[in-house]
Each structure stands twice: as C-alpha cells, then as structure tokens.
Amino acid sequence: MTETTEIFREFNFEAAHRLPNVPDGHKCARLHGHSYRLSVHVEGPIDPTLGWVMDFGDLKKAVQPLVEQLDHYYLNDIEGLENPTSEVLAVWLWERLHPGLPGLSAITVRETCTSGSTYRGNSGA
C-alpha cells in the first residue's frame, strides 16, 4: 500500500443566497449573505524529487475560476445552486473540480465560523 499525504488550500468568497425549500417562517428563507471559506483537499504520494503532493499554485489555478464564479453573486441564480445549502455547494464544487484535479479528496464549505459541510465524493464512483 502506498503512503499518501493530504494537502489543502483555503479560499474565501462573499455571496448572497436564500434557501427556498425551508419551512415557512425559517430565517434562511430570507435573502442573506455569508463570508464563505472553502477548503480544497488533495491526497497523493509525496513526489520524491519535488517533496510535495502538488504545487499549491496549481491547486489555486484549478479552484480560482470557480471562486470567481461565486464571489459577490447571488448563488440561487447559478445553475445547479437553486437551493444553495453548504452541502449542495460542496457537491457542486466537487463535480466541477474532480474531473481535472487528480487526488481531490475533500471539499469543505464553511458559511459561518462555526457551520459548514464537508464532501468527500461519491464512494461508488
């Protein structure tokens, strides 16, 4: 079995949303915003020559276009984010990053300092 190491890089973005499917009177049904923190994790063996799993700059290049698509936007208007919970957002990000980011192992979306969601992909895929 090959030993692996997991690295991560964090990103921040600001966005507004509302949750259309919550019960009547729920505060999250109202338009509001968050200062999101996104952690993207990649797992793999440490390259014996370079000494890293992946260049953090390459990880940033892979993720930054998605951050720009979300930053300062109304998430409900983005295709696939009509009900933009942190769980749905984590899966949405995974689906867009996974095909081009070998070793993607987890995505964590924090919508507050104390609340968020981690998605580790479809184990059946």
Side-chain angles (χ1 to χ4, degrees):
M1 182 171 173
T2 304
E3 291 185 18
T4 62
T5 300
E6 187 174 65
I7 63 165
F8 67 91
R9 183 158 182 154
E10 294 188 335
F11 303 84
N12 297 304
F13 63 95
E14 311 289 330
H17 75 156
R18 59 179 294 280
L19 301 183
N21 301 333
V22 295
D24 288 344
H26 194 287
K27 66 181 183 176
C28 292
R30 297 188 301 266
L31 178 64
H32 63 285
H34 293 289
S35 296
Y36 288 92
R37 177 168 290 236
L38 166 65
S39 295
V40 178
H41 294 246
V42 173
E43 185 175 38
I46 298 173
D47 182 286
T49 302
L50 297 172
W52 62 36
V53 172
M54 177 182 200
D55 186 328
F56 285 115
D58 291 339
L59 183 52
K60 181 179 179 181
K61 282 183 210 171
V63 177
Q64 195 62 39
L66 289 172
V67 170
E68 290 171 7
Q69 188 177 350
L70 300 169
D71 190 36
H72 283 80
Y73 282 93
Y74 177 51
L75 298 181
N76 299 68
D77 284 345
I78 298 172
E79 187 175 335
L81 294 177
E82 294 82 7
N83 183 32
T85 63
S86 60
E87 296 90 337
V88 169
L89 185 52
V91 172
W92 185 91
L93 287 157
W94 179 281
E95 289 172 349
R96 282 146 185 81
L97 286 171
H98 187 258
L101 190 56
L104 181 63
S105 56
I107 291 180
T108 298
V109 175
R110 290 181 177 263
E111 59 182 45
T112 69
C113 294
T114 59
S115 302
S117 174
T118 299
Y119 183 70
R120 291 184 180 83
N122 184 345
S123 59

